[in-house]
């Protein structure tokens, strides 16, 4: 946290090394959040690019409230949500909102996820509603509190907590095999 | 697998999140960085100009509130008397300080604009002030200002004298035929003197703030070097200001300030911007210039004078206690301006204690009511100013009034550092204790999740 404060301070003064350091530090987190919420590889890359360039545009006036990881996660989630809404409106031919990008790839990294439980979990995550998946990712992966998530999504804290609870519950059921696919 | 055997959160962490694939580094990362660096450069270049104020009007409920607002501004400004700190090459600004120290008296002019909501529930407005300030090592400081009330078209002038030997500030308001006398306690005076006169303190502030050098330019035919800071710690930034943007131009031959342009954001609803210019160095001054002459037909406002709020821990706790009595909860922020606005907003949702105070106030004459109001506000001002000193002194203060209430006996409401491994903690029930860093971590881990 202290390191991030110093990085931001340098970033706000136009320090290029600080900007590079921030990208290196949070690049993977950005890809993880975007990848978990989108089903389009190019869209994931676009989101990561746009989030980071937008952040860079705030140089000089960026104020770090909370964690930088949380900030980037929320930005990625917001853009992913916008993208998904756009795709729904466009009535894309091949689009299943419940699928994540990790199901549509043949890359070795994905197929290397070996054990049965992991595979069940991947499929289960892809099958819960996107709002629930988003809250789960932001809370567990990005360590964001429900209040922060509520603020970023424009819903009440109760709704966020409900989505989290129901999402976990559904995941549990799916893995336990209680729900039919 | 049984549903009851599934630790879903652990599974998500260990199996799902850990295995989320991340693409290897490619030319796309390079493109992202190139685009980001370009965006950053463009933004920084645009920001090299100082904000210009929006032109809006301030509407005051009555002249009394205008005077009260002037008092609050005085407190806010005096509490962090202007001096410049920055960290960059270190050498150039140290030279400036050394040069200023040799000057016995100097003067300058300023134009400031305050925009925003002065009182909750009132429309946003604008207040413009122009003034001439004279500072003497021997006699103190004199400030002559004119503030334009755009609503009525009238101008309100003010002459303010800060007299450290007498530990007093006197302000004359000719149009209202009123004067204000404010006494300082030793703590406040020591802080002001330290900040104003002690060169070691000034250089310490230089090393504590962060700034960057803008390079050379020519201002009114004079070669100048520019320095800019946006460090929120400037002037105890987080205590008074949320955002800071200050540019100081220094005469490269004389190593004396030439011009300063500034922008401060005091809260979500209030901003201040302005320019300091026309510096005159080594001016001849006379003691009589710093002796206020109060005409016989002027009345004291408030009657009996007022004391500058204390900036002590005890006074801050009194402020927290009083605020909670009036509103049922602690303030959300301790930024001075936000704090005052939150306090003013209590009127909309008062506790029984607040209603009782209001009833008592309604029974007394307006002038007397004003004095009582300002006395009432003093503990709250002390709270804000104490917090500001913690920020200025880099004591790592943290405040959790948004989540902790008067009934949260064992929860940390506020804390600050007293030594390397020791923190001072005020709990929700306003008891105070010194704890170790490890103890503090445990206490803060127990705070409500956002």
């Amino acid at each position: 946290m202290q390191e991030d404060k110093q990085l931001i301070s340098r970033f706000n003064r136009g320090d290029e090394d600080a900007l590079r350091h921030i990208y290196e530090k949070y690049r993977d987190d950005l890809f993880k959040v975007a990848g978990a919420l989108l089903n389009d590889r190019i869209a994931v890359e676009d989101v990561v690019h746009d989030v980071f360039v937008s952040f860079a545009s705030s140089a000089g006036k960026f104020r770090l409230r909370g964690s930088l990881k949380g900030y980037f996660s929320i930005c990625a989630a917001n853009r992913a949500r916008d993208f998904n809404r756009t795709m729904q409106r466009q009535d894309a031919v091949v689009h299943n909102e419940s699928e994540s990008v990790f199901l549509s790839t043949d890359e070795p990294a994905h197929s290397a996820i070996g054990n049965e439980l992991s595979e069940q979990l991947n499929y289960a995550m892809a099958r819960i509603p996107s709002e629930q998946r988003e809250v789960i990712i932001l809370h567990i992966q990005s360590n964001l509190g429900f209040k922060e998530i509520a603020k970023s999504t424009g819903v009440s804290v109760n709704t966020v907590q409900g989505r989290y609870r129901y999402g976990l519950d559904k995941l549990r059921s799916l893995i336990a095999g209680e729900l039919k696919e | 697998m049984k549903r009851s055997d599934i630790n879903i959160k652990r599974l998500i962490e260990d199996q799902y999140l850990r295995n989320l694939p991340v693409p290897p580094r490619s030319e796309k990362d390079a493109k992202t960085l190139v685009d980001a660096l370009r965006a950053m450069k463009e933004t920084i270049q645009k920001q090299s100009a100082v904000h210009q104020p929006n032109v809006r009007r301030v509407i005051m409920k009555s002249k009394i509130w205008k005077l009260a607002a002037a008092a609050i501004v005085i407190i806010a400004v005096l509490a962090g008397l202007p001096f410049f700190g920055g960290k960059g090459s270190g050498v150039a600004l140290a030279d400036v300080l050394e040069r200023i120290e040799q000057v016995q008296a100097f003067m300058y002019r300023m134009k400031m604009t305050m925009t925003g909501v002065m009182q909750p529930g009132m429309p946003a407005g604008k207040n413009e002030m122009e003034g001439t300030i004279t500072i003497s090592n021997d006699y103190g400081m004199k400030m002559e200002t004119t503030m334009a009330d755009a609503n009525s078209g009238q101008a309100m002038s003010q002459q303010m004298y800060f007299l450290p030997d007498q530990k007093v500030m006197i302000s004359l308001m000719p149009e209202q035929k009123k004067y204000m006398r404010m006494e300082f306690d030793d703590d406040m005076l020591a802080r002001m003197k330290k900040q104003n006169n002690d060169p070691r303190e000034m250089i310490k502030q230089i090393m504590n703030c962060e700034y960057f050098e803008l390079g050379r330019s020519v201002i009114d035919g004079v070669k100048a070097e520019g320095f800019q800071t946006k460090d929120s710690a400037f002037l105890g930034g987080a205590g008074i200001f949320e955002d800071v943007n200050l540019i100081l131009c220094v005469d490269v031959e004389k190593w004396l300030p030439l011009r300063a342009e500034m922008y401060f954001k005091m809260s979500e609803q209030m901003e201040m911007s302005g320019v300091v210019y026309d510096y005159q160095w080594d001016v001849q001054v006379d003691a009589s210039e710093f002796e206020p002459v109060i005409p016989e037909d002027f009345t004291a406002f408030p009657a009996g004078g007022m004391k500058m709020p204390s900036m002590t821990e005890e006074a801050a706790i009194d402020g927290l206690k009083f605020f909670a009595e009036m509103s049922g909860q602690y303030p959300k922020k301790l930024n001075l301006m936000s704090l005052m606005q939150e306090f003013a907003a209590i009127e909309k949702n008062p506790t029984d204690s607040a209603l009782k105070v209001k009833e008592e106030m309604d029974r007394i004459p307006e002038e007397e009511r004003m004095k009582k109001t300002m006395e009432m506000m003093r503990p709250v001002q002390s709270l804000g100013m104490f917090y500001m000193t913690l920020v200025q002194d880099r004591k790592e203060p943290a405040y959790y009034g948004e989540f902790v209430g008067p009934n949260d006996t064992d929860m940390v409401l506020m804390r600050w550092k007293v030594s390397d491994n020791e923190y001072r903690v005020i709990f929700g029930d306003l008891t105070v204790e010194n704890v170790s860093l490890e103890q503090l971590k445990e206490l803060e881990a127990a705070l409500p999740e956002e």
Side-chain angles (χ1 to χ4, degrees):
Chain A
M1 195 68 165
Q2 190 59 31
E3 187 199 30
D4 281 355
K5 280 184 185 171
Q6 289 170 358
L7 281 172
I8 291 298
S9 181
R10 286 167 52 201
F11 160 69
N12 274 330
R13 299 202 312 272
D15 187 330
E16 294 183 3
D17 281 340
L19 185 64
R20 285 192 195 92
H21 191 139
I22 291 169
Y23 183 71
E24 291 307 317
K25 189 172 177 181
Y26 291 107
R27 173 212 186 255
D28 288 3
D29 288 318
L30 268 170
F31 270 106
K32 286 197 174 190
V33 171
L37 300 176
L38 290 167
N39 66 343
D40 183 314
R41 180 165 302 283
I42 294 179
V44 169
E45 289 168 351
D46 286 346
V47 162
V48 171
H49 171 275
D50 292 350
V51 164
F52 201 73
V53 171
S54 176
F55 164 72
S57 302
S58 69
K61 53 184 186 291
F62 183 82
R63 289 182 61 80
L64 182 59
R65 300 178 204 274
S67 73
L68 201 43
K69 181 178 179 179
Y71 165 79
F72 281 128
S73 297
I74 285 179
C75 290
N78 287 342
R79 286 183 190 263
R81 199 182 315 122
D82 289 344
F83 177 83
N84 284 330
R85 281 184 193 144
T86 303
M87 290 303 291
Q88 282 178 345
R89 281 197 297 272
Q90 289 175 359
D91 198 21
V93 174
V94 180
H95 175 71
N96 183 347
E97 193 195 288
S98 68
E99 288 187 3
S100 84
V101 67
F102 303 114
L103 292 180
S104 59
T105 175
D106 292 325
E107 286 200 4
H110 181 73
S111 61
I113 299 170
N115 67 68
E116 186 184 341
L117 192 54
S118 290
E119 287 182 9
Q120 281 182 338
L121 187 50
N122 279 336
Y123 276 97
M125 281 292 279
R127 272 147 185 77
I128 62 173
S130 60
E131 298 89 2
Q132 293 174 2
R133 188 165 61 242
E134 181 181 313
V135 172
I136 290 170
I137 296 294
L138 290 177
H139 187 64
I140 299 180
Q141 153 73 8
S142 307
N143 300 317
L144 284 165
F146 293 130
K147 196 172 171 185
E148 281 174 288
I149 298 171
K151 200 174 169 186
S152 74
T153 52
V155 299
S156 71
V157 174
N158 284 343
T159 300
V160 169
Q161 288 173 325
R163 286 176 180 175
Y164 181 73
R165 199 166 51 246
Y166 292 131
L168 290 187
D169 212 45
K170 190 166 179 189
L171 285 172
R172 209 178 278 113
S173 297
L174 283 168
I175 290 169
E178 285 178 7
L179 292 181
K180 293 188 180 172
E181 305 284 315
Chain B
M1 175 183 290
K2 283 186 191 172
R3 196 170 183 282
S4 56
D5 292 337
I6 298 171
N7 184 335
I8 191 66
K9 197 175 169 198
R10 175 66 64 81
L11 273 179
I12 292 172
E13 284 168 341
D14 294 346
Q15 299 291 335
Y16 180 75
L17 294 175
R18 198 171 290 175
N19 293 323
L20 277 175
V22 173
R25 294 284 193 271
S26 69
E27 68 274 8
K28 288 177 183 157
D29 290 287
K31 182 180 185 308
T32 297
L33 270 172
V34 163
D35 290 346
L37 286 165
R38 187 187 311 126
M40 181 177 76
K41 271 185 195 164
E42 285 172 3
T43 302
I44 294 287
Q45 278 166 5
K46 276 181 200 165
Q47 283 174 4
S48 62
V50 175
H51 287 259
Q52 293 300 317
N54 290 324
V55 177
R56 291 183 290 178
R57 304 295 195 185
V58 166
I59 298 170
M60 296 286 186
K61 228 175 191 173
S62 71
K63 285 180 183 173
I64 293 295
W65 277 110
K66 196 190 309 186
L67 293 170
I72 292 169
V73 171
I74 288 165
I75 289 167
V77 171
L78 281 184
L81 277 175
F83 60 87
F84 188 80
K87 179 167 70 179
S89 65
V91 173
L93 280 181
D95 291 340
V96 176
L97 288 173
E98 196 178 323
R99 182 67 188 89
I100 294 174
E101 272 185 282
Q102 297 163 11
V103 175
Q104 290 304 306
F106 64 96
M107 55 194 300
Y108 57 87
R109 302 196 61 192
M110 72 171 183
K111 285 184 187 176
M112 302 295 291
T113 303
M114 283 181 71
T115 59
V117 175
M118 297 287 284
Q119 278 179 257
M122 299 300 288
K126 168 191 155 188
N127 225 349
E128 288 179 324
M129 183 172 74
E130 288 191 37
T132 302
I133 294 92
T134 308
I135 294 178
S136 160
N137 278 350
D138 296 327
Y139 309 122
M141 181 183 84
K142 182 172 83 170
M143 190 187 291
E144 295 168 289
T145 61
T146 303
M147 193 178 292
D149 182 340
N151 189 42
S152 64
Q154 288 179 342
M156 180 177 112
S157 62
Q158 193 171 12
Q159 296 156 25
M160 200 167 79
Y161 300 80
F162 170 57
L163 308 170
D165 288 343
Q166 300 171 42
K167 290 197 287 187
V168 75
M169 188 278 297
I170 294 174
S171 177
L172 305 179
M173 289 156 279
E175 285 83 7
Q176 279 74 33
K177 292 191 185 298
K178 289 189 187 297
Y179 70 95
M180 193 185 296
R181 181 188 170 87
M182 199 180 296
E183 291 174 3
F184 302 99
D185 61 21
D186 289 333
D187 281 339
M188 171 65 87
L189 186 61
R191 181 168 285 271
M192 286 177 169
K193 276 187 171 176
K194 197 176 162 190
Q195 289 175 344
N196 243 351
N197 301 326
D198 188 338
R200 292 167 300 176
E201 189 61 26
M202 279 190 180
I203 291 172
K204 253 192 231 174
Q205 290 293 330
I206 287 177
M207 300 307 291
N208 281 339
C209 277
E210 293 177 354
Y211 66 81
F212 46 95
E213 294 166 19
L214 299 175
R216 298 231 168 153
S217 60
V218 175
I219 295 175
D220 297 332
V222 178
K223 285 184 192 166
E225 180 96 31
F227 303 89
Q228 183 175 24
T229 184
K230 294 177 185 176
D231 192 338
S232 60
F234 179 74
L235 284 182
I240 299 180
F241 307 121
E242 289 187 359
D243 276 328
V244 173
N245 187 354
L246 186 143
I247 294 176
L248 176 70
C249 298
V250 174
D251 183 326
V252 300
E253 288 178 13
K254 295 180 183 174
W255 282 115
L256 286 168
L258 198 58
R259 181 182 175 87
E261 295 180 6
M262 58 201 72
Y263 166 79
F264 303 112
K265 184 174 177 181
M266 285 171 279
S267 70
E268 282 305 315
Q269 297 172 310
M270 203 186 295
E271 300 176 341
M272 189 163 77
S273 63
V275 60
V276 180
Y277 62 105
D278 196 15
Y279 284 93
Q280 297 173 47
W281 303 98
D282 289 318
V283 295
Q284 296 299 312
V285 294
D286 191 76
S288 61
E289 293 178 47
F290 296 85
E291 290 167 4
V293 176
I294 303 173
E296 285 184 11
D297 60 341
F298 276 35
T299 53
F301 169 78
M306 60 189 279
K307 280 194 174 176
M308 193 74 164
S310 294
M311 298 188 298
T312 62
E313 175 189 306
E314 290 74 25
I317 290 173
D318 284 342
L320 286 165
K321 184 178 174 192
F322 179 68
F323 195 101
E325 278 172 5
M326 293 293 112
S327 71
Q329 58 197 8
Y330 294 124
K332 291 188 173 49
K333 293 183 185 180
L334 296 186
N335 166 294
L336 195 61
M337 287 297 166
S338 299
L339 183 59
M340 299 309 296
Q341 288 185 331
E342 272 193 69
F343 184 74
I346 287 174
E347 191 184 15
K348 290 185 183 174
N349 205 13
T351 58
D352 290 341
S353 300
L355 282 171
K356 198 174 167 190
V357 166
K358 187 175 184 313
E359 280 166 15
E360 285 171 5
M361 291 290 215
D362 286 342
R363 286 196 284 265
I364 59 180
E366 190 180 7
E367 289 264 354
E368 178 67 17
R369 192 186 317 148
M370 198 59 239
K371 183 184 176 185
K372 283 213 175 291
T373 302
M374 293 178 88
E375 280 172 4
M376 218 167 50
M377 280 161 51
R378 195 173 304 123
V380 181
Q381 289 165 344
S382 291
L383 172 60
M385 288 166 69
F386 176 68
Y387 180 74
M388 182 190 68
T389 65
L390 296 177
V391 174
Q392 273 181 327
D393 295 342
R394 306 266 174 173
K395 289 192 177 175
E396 300 177 15
Y399 175 70
Y400 304 108
E402 206 167 353
F403 316 111
V404 177
N407 295 327
D408 295 322
T409 313
D410 299 323
M411 290 197 169
V412 176
L413 173 62
M414 183 170 164
R415 56 88 161 160
W416 62 93
K417 194 172 183 179
V418 292
S419 67
D420 277 345
N421 191 37
E422 202 177 16
Y423 285 77
R424 189 102 170 124
V425 173
I426 300 178
F427 291 91
D429 61 354
L430 298 183
T431 54
V432 191
E433 213 175 294
N434 281 13
V435 303
S436 67
L437 177 57
E438 290 67 39
Q439 287 171 318
L440 179 66
K441 283 181 183 173
E442 282 179 25
L443 287 167
E444 289 186 323
L447 285 168
E449 191 176 330
E450 291 187 50

